[in-house]
Amino acid sequence: MNPTYEPDDLLTIGEMSHRTGVATSALRYYEELGLVGSVRTGGNQRRYPRHMLRRVSLISVAKRLGMPLSDVKEAFGDVPMESTPSHSDWQRASRRWKKRLEERRRAIERLEHELTGCIGCGCLSLKACALLNPDDALAEIGPGPRRLEDVTEFPEGDAERS
Protein backbone atom coordinates (compact mmCIF):
# COMPACT_ATOMS: atom_id res chain seq x y z
CA MET A 1 0.00 0.00 0.00
CA ASN A 2 1.33 3.46 -0.96
CA PRO A 3 1.67 6.10 1.75
CA THR A 4 -0.72 9.04 1.65
CA TYR A 5 0.88 12.45 1.36
CA GLU A 6 -0.70 15.74 2.29
CA PRO A 7 0.41 19.10 0.80
CA ASP A 8 1.25 20.44 4.25
CA ASP A 9 3.34 17.43 5.34
CA LEU A 10 6.72 18.64 6.54
CA LEU A 11 10.00 17.60 4.92
CA THR A 12 13.49 17.99 6.36
CA ILE A 13 15.98 20.01 4.34
CA GLY A 14 17.68 16.73 3.39
CA GLU A 15 14.39 15.23 2.19
CA MET A 16 13.62 18.39 0.21
CA SER A 17 17.11 18.32 -1.32
CA HIS A 18 16.81 14.64 -2.22
CA ARG A 19 13.32 15.04 -3.70
CA THR A 20 14.14 18.15 -5.79
CA GLY A 21 17.80 17.55 -6.61
CA VAL A 22 18.63 21.01 -5.21
CA ALA A 23 21.56 21.37 -2.82
CA THR A 24 20.75 22.19 0.81
CA SER A 25 22.87 25.34 0.51
CA ALA A 26 20.70 26.48 -2.42
CA LEU A 27 17.53 25.78 -0.42
CA ARG A 28 18.84 27.97 2.40
CA TYR A 29 19.73 30.68 -0.13
CA TYR A 30 16.27 30.54 -1.74
CA GLU A 31 14.76 30.90 1.70
CA GLU A 32 17.03 33.87 2.43
CA LEU A 33 15.74 35.49 -0.79
CA GLY A 34 12.13 34.83 0.16
CA LEU A 35 11.52 32.38 -2.69
CA VAL A 36 10.62 29.48 -0.39
CA GLY A 37 9.60 29.20 3.22
CA SER A 38 10.04 26.78 6.05
CA VAL A 39 8.99 26.39 9.64
CA ARG A 40 11.35 25.68 12.53
CA THR A 41 11.24 22.85 15.00
CA GLY A 42 11.91 23.28 18.70
CA GLY A 43 15.54 22.40 17.89
CA ASN A 44 15.63 25.18 15.24
CA GLN A 45 15.71 22.74 12.31
CA ARG A 46 14.06 23.69 9.01
CA ARG A 47 10.96 21.84 7.88
CA TYR A 48 9.48 22.52 4.47
CA PRO A 49 5.78 22.01 3.74
CA ARG A 50 5.41 19.46 0.92
CA HIS A 51 3.77 22.14 -1.26
CA MET A 52 7.19 23.86 -1.44
CA LEU A 53 8.29 21.06 -3.80
CA ARG A 54 6.52 22.83 -6.68
CA ARG A 55 8.18 26.16 -5.91
CA VAL A 56 11.65 24.63 -5.70
CA SER A 57 11.05 22.65 -8.90
CA LEU A 58 9.97 25.79 -10.76
CA ILE A 59 13.04 27.63 -9.47
CA SER A 60 15.22 24.77 -10.77
CA VAL A 61 13.65 24.95 -14.22
CA ALA A 62 14.01 28.74 -14.29
CA LYS A 63 17.70 28.50 -13.38
CA ARG A 64 18.29 25.89 -16.07
CA LEU A 65 16.82 28.34 -18.58
CA GLY A 66 18.98 31.19 -17.26
CA MET A 67 16.12 33.14 -15.70
CA PRO A 68 17.11 35.59 -12.97
CA LEU A 69 15.89 34.68 -9.50
CA SER A 70 14.41 38.18 -9.27
CA ASP A 71 12.01 37.24 -12.11
CA VAL A 72 11.03 34.08 -10.25
CA LYS A 73 10.42 36.07 -7.07
CA GLU A 74 8.28 38.55 -8.98
CA ALA A 75 6.25 35.74 -10.57
CA PHE A 76 5.71 34.09 -7.18
CA GLY A 77 4.73 37.50 -5.75
CA ASP A 78 1.36 36.68 -4.21
CA VAL A 79 1.53 32.88 -4.23
CA PRO A 80 1.13 32.02 -0.55
CA MET A 81 3.97 30.25 1.24
CA GLU A 82 2.21 29.62 4.53
CA SER A 83 -0.53 27.47 2.96
CA THR A 84 -0.99 25.29 -0.09
CA PRO A 85 -1.44 27.57 -3.11
CA SER A 86 -4.67 27.18 -5.04
CA HIS A 87 -4.99 26.59 -8.75
CA SER A 88 -5.89 30.26 -9.25
CA ASP A 89 -2.77 31.32 -7.28
CA TRP A 90 -0.61 29.37 -9.72
CA GLN A 91 -2.57 30.69 -12.73
CA ARG A 92 -1.87 34.30 -11.70
CA ALA A 93 1.81 33.50 -11.20
CA SER A 94 1.92 31.77 -14.59
CA ARG A 95 0.49 34.82 -16.35
CA ARG A 96 3.07 37.11 -14.72
CA TRP A 97 5.90 34.77 -15.51
CA LYS A 98 4.73 34.26 -19.08
CA LYS A 99 4.96 38.02 -19.63
CA ARG A 100 8.58 38.06 -18.38
CA LEU A 101 9.43 35.02 -20.51
CA GLU A 102 8.01 36.73 -23.61
CA GLU A 103 10.09 39.85 -22.89
CA ARG A 104 13.20 37.73 -22.48
CA ARG A 105 12.45 35.79 -25.68
CA ARG A 106 12.11 39.05 -27.64
CA ALA A 107 15.41 40.31 -26.20
CA ILE A 108 17.17 37.08 -27.15
CA GLU A 109 15.72 37.23 -30.67
CA ARG A 110 16.90 40.82 -31.01
CA LEU A 111 20.38 39.88 -29.81
CA GLU A 112 20.45 36.98 -32.26
CA HIS A 113 19.47 39.32 -35.10
CA GLU A 114 22.01 42.00 -34.16
CA LEU A 115 24.99 39.70 -33.46
CA THR A 116 26.33 40.11 -36.98
CA GLY A 117 25.70 43.85 -37.13
CA CYS A 118 26.47 46.88 -35.03
CA ILE A 119 25.22 46.75 -31.45
CA GLY A 120 26.22 50.34 -30.76
CA CYS A 121 29.04 49.55 -28.33
CA GLY A 122 31.46 52.05 -29.83
CA CYS A 123 34.08 49.55 -30.97
CA LEU A 124 33.84 50.66 -34.60
CA SER A 125 35.63 47.45 -35.59
CA LEU A 126 33.04 46.24 -38.08
CA LYS A 127 32.27 47.80 -41.42
CA ALA A 128 28.64 47.94 -40.36
CA CYS A 129 29.56 50.22 -37.45
CA ALA A 130 30.63 52.94 -39.86
CA LEU A 131 27.12 52.86 -41.34
CA LEU A 132 25.01 52.20 -38.25
CA ASN A 133 27.02 54.14 -35.67
CA PRO A 134 29.19 56.64 -37.55
CA ASP A 135 31.82 58.31 -35.39
CA ASP A 136 30.41 56.44 -32.37
CA ALA A 137 27.40 58.79 -32.25
CA LEU A 138 25.62 56.43 -29.86
CA ALA A 139 28.20 57.29 -27.18
CA GLU A 140 26.24 60.47 -26.53
CA ILE A 141 23.33 58.36 -25.30
CA GLY A 142 25.48 56.50 -22.77
CA PRO A 143 27.89 53.59 -22.27
CA GLY A 144 27.47 50.02 -23.44
CA PRO A 145 25.58 48.40 -26.30
CA ARG A 146 23.03 51.15 -26.96
CA ARG A 147 21.13 49.36 -29.71
CA LEU A 148 20.57 46.37 -27.42
CA GLU A 149 19.59 48.15 -24.21
CA ASP A 150 16.74 45.75 -23.46
CA VAL A 151 19.11 42.77 -23.63
CA THR A 152 21.35 44.20 -20.92
CA GLU A 153 18.58 45.01 -18.45
CA PHE A 154 18.78 41.64 -16.68
CA PRO A 155 20.42 42.04 -13.25
CA GLU A 156 23.93 40.65 -13.16
CA GLY A 157 24.47 37.59 -11.00
CA ASP A 158 20.80 36.65 -10.64
CA ALA A 159 21.11 33.55 -12.73
CA GLU A 160 24.58 32.60 -11.51
CA ARG A 161 24.03 31.63 -7.91
CA SER A 162 22.55 28.25 -6.99
Side-chain angles (χ1 to χ4, degrees), residues 99-155:
K99 183 179 177 186
R100 294 293 298 182
L101 289 171
E102 288 170 353
E103 292 168 359
R104 190 170 181 89
R105 179 184 48 77
R106 283 191 301 273
I108 290 169
E109 287 171 352
R110 184 165 177 210
L111 173 61
E112 181 181 43
H113 179 265
E114 295 289 343
L115 277 175
T116 57
C118 175
I119 61 172
C121 65
C123 71
L124 301 177
S125 63
L126 299 173
K127 290 180 183 178
C129 287
L131 298 172
L132 299 172
N133 187 20
D135 299 320
D136 195 18
L138 292 173
E140 294 176 19
I141 300 171
R146 305 315 303 166
R147 295 187 67 216
L148 293 179
E149 282 181 311
D150 59 337
V151 173
T152 61
E153 287 180 7
F154 303 112

Side-chain angles (χ1 to χ4, degrees), residues 14-80:
E15 291 168 330
M16 180 66 86
S17 175
H18 178 74
R19 178 64 182 84
T20 62
V22 173
T24 57
S25 59
L27 291 170
R28 287 189 290 273
Y29 179 62
Y30 297 159
E31 190 171 349
E32 184 181 308
L33 293 177
L35 292 167
V36 298
S38 68
V39 295
R40 297 294 184 134
T41 66
N44 202 31
Q45 295 176 329
R46 287 178 169 86
R47 294 291 188 266
Y48 294 92
R50 182 170 288 280
H51 64 81
M52 285 293 154
L53 287 168
R54 176 178 287 232
R55 290 178 83 102
V56 174
S57 296
L58 286 170
I59 294 167
S60 295
V61 170
K63 283 190 54 55
R64 247 184 276 147
L65 296 174
M67 297 296 298
L69 292 177
S70 59
D71 284 3
V72 176
K73 186 172 184 172
E74 183 182 316
F76 287 175
D78 62 352
V79 176

Side-chain angles (χ1 to χ4, degrees), residues 77-98:
D78 62 352
V79 176
M81 278 201 269
E82 61 284 342
S83 62
T84 303
S86 67
H87 179 71
S88 62
D89 291 329
W90 284 117
Q91 290 297 104
R92 279 191 312 279
S94 294
R95 282 190 296 273
R96 276 193 305 277
W97 206 357
K98 183 178 180 183

